[in-house]
Amino acid sequence: MFESDILVAGADPGFGAIKLDTGDTKILFPAVICKGNERIFSTLGNTLINRGSDVETQIASLDVIVRNHSTSVERHYFMGSLAESLNPNEAHYCWDEDKSSDEEATALLVVALALAQKTPKANVYLGTGVPVKYYASLKNKYESELKGSFSVEFRSGPMVGITRQINILRSRVLPQSYGVFIKESLNEYGIPTKASLFNGYVVVIDPGFRTTDIATFYDGIMLDPPNSFSIEKGLKWAYIGVAEKLKEMTINHKNPIETDDKELDKIFRVNKGLYPWNNGSLNLNPIMQNMLTQLGTDISREVKKALKPMLGKLHTVLVAGKVGEMVFEQIQLENKQLIEDPQFGNATGFRIMAATLVNNITKKGKTSE
């Protein structure tokens, strides 16, 4: 019962997207949320839309009620692409740096767990992370607050009418880039899978939506600041540049286009960079490519400046994240490699960390019998 009742998960609740890995299931959706309401017209015409698997179709229809059993607070939400479509004016990212006490951020995380859950009830061991710059101040808070009992009721999609109960038993928190290092170097029993990463200097570059995390390791140990740090620049910065250029391009028209990072995120994710306009569309991809080139150049410059004394000794530079994949060619550092499945680098590493926690607990249980 102990084994089957447990869900071991790694969550990377980024500013742009929620990523969750349970080993056999990966969940990904935009970290966009708004209050839910009764749907009248929005239920028409979309009953036959199929997004692939049941999980993918469900992710496209996140109309949910989330209940926190510790506080007895119950909320109705739209999340992900459904929030973007049904309530674009109120749908927003969870910007709070401290996601442990943010009700909406917790709701997004709990819904991701419910989507991955195969049984009506599950006890969860959760691995997650915070940006490098916030780790020292938020680690203990996250581990103490990211636990408790929740339920999620699905109000649409393939899981309509189904309720999932989630009991987060324990959370373990690492700096975000550390998840990437774990994924690349350890298995679920804490046994090294790539000995070279435990010798000498290794750097992880993990560009995200708002920040880029840099983690430097020496003989497998993550070094303290200034060798591990966050750069206040990510995909959002590139979107701001695209928005400025778009306004400039349409300035002579009666209604120049004023947009923001949330709308542009959807344009590039769903519309492949084509902005609907004037009975046609504007191709924003060349502008975006220029911004990404600059972003990769800026990240490279900051890393070189901060790690100048050890630059010649870096034998491996691991690049992770969806944004890392987008700027990989522009990263101007030797010995760079893009990890496999870069978007889930941290989530998978956090899952491995949570699995080692469970394996240690079961080992202790057996030795004490």
Side-chain angles (χ1 to χ4, degrees), residues 164-307:
R164 291 283 191 242
Q165 292 189 14
I166 300 124
N167 185 26
I168 302 175
L169 296 177
R170 282 180 70 176
S171 295
R172 285 192 67 185
V173 178
L174 286 177
Q176 275 170 349
S177 311
Y178 211 136
V180 175
F181 185 81
I182 290 173
K183 174 187 179 289
E184 294 298 296
S185 64
L186 294 174
N187 67 14
E188 293 172 9
Y189 296 93
I191 298 167
T193 55
K194 206 177 287 182
S196 63
L197 295 181
F198 292 91
N199 293 309
Y201 288 99
V202 174
V203 167
V204 175
I205 299 177
D206 181 22
F209 196 80
R210 288 176 69 188
T211 58
T212 295
D213 284 331
I214 311 296
T216 304
F217 296 82
Y218 182 68
D219 289 355
I221 296 170
M222 185 169 167
L223 301 181
D224 290 326
N227 297 309
S228 297
F229 57 98
S230 296
I231 300 167
E232 295 297 319
K233 196 173 274 192
L235 189 59
K236 177 182 166 76
W237 175 85
Y239 285 153
I240 289 169
V242 173
E244 288 172 355
K245 186 68 177 173
L246 186 54
K247 184 176 181 181
E248 191 182 299
M249 287 164 63
T250 58
I251 199 71
N252 293 325
H253 290 263
K254 187 177 180 182
N255 296 302
I257 297 173
E258 296 210 19
T259 184
D260 58 15
D261 46 6
K262 181 164 63 68
E263 185 185 19
L264 286 173
D265 189 53
K266 186 179 179 185
I267 291 294
F268 284 100
R269 198 166 17 86
V270 181
N271 288 19
K272 310 300 182 199
L274 300 177
Y275 194 99
W277 186 70
N278 205 19
N279 291 328
S281 61
L282 294 171
N283 183 2
L284 303 182
N285 288 299
I287 305 166
M288 186 61 171
Q289 199 48 56
N290 287 339
M291 295 305 300
L292 291 173
T293 298
Q294 188 59 53
L295 179 60
T297 302
D298 290 354
I299 291 169
S300 304
R301 186 182 63 245
E302 292 296 322
V303 172
K304 287 177 179 177
K305 188 168 71 177
L307 304 182

Side-chain angles (χ1 to χ4, degrees), residues 44 80 118 120 124 144 163 182 228 233 237 242 244 276 309 315 366:
L44 300 173
K118 303 285 191 264
V124 178
S144 65
T163 298
I182 290 173
S228 297
K233 196 173 274 192
W237 175 85
V242 173
E244 288 172 355
H315 66 77
K366 284 174 184 171

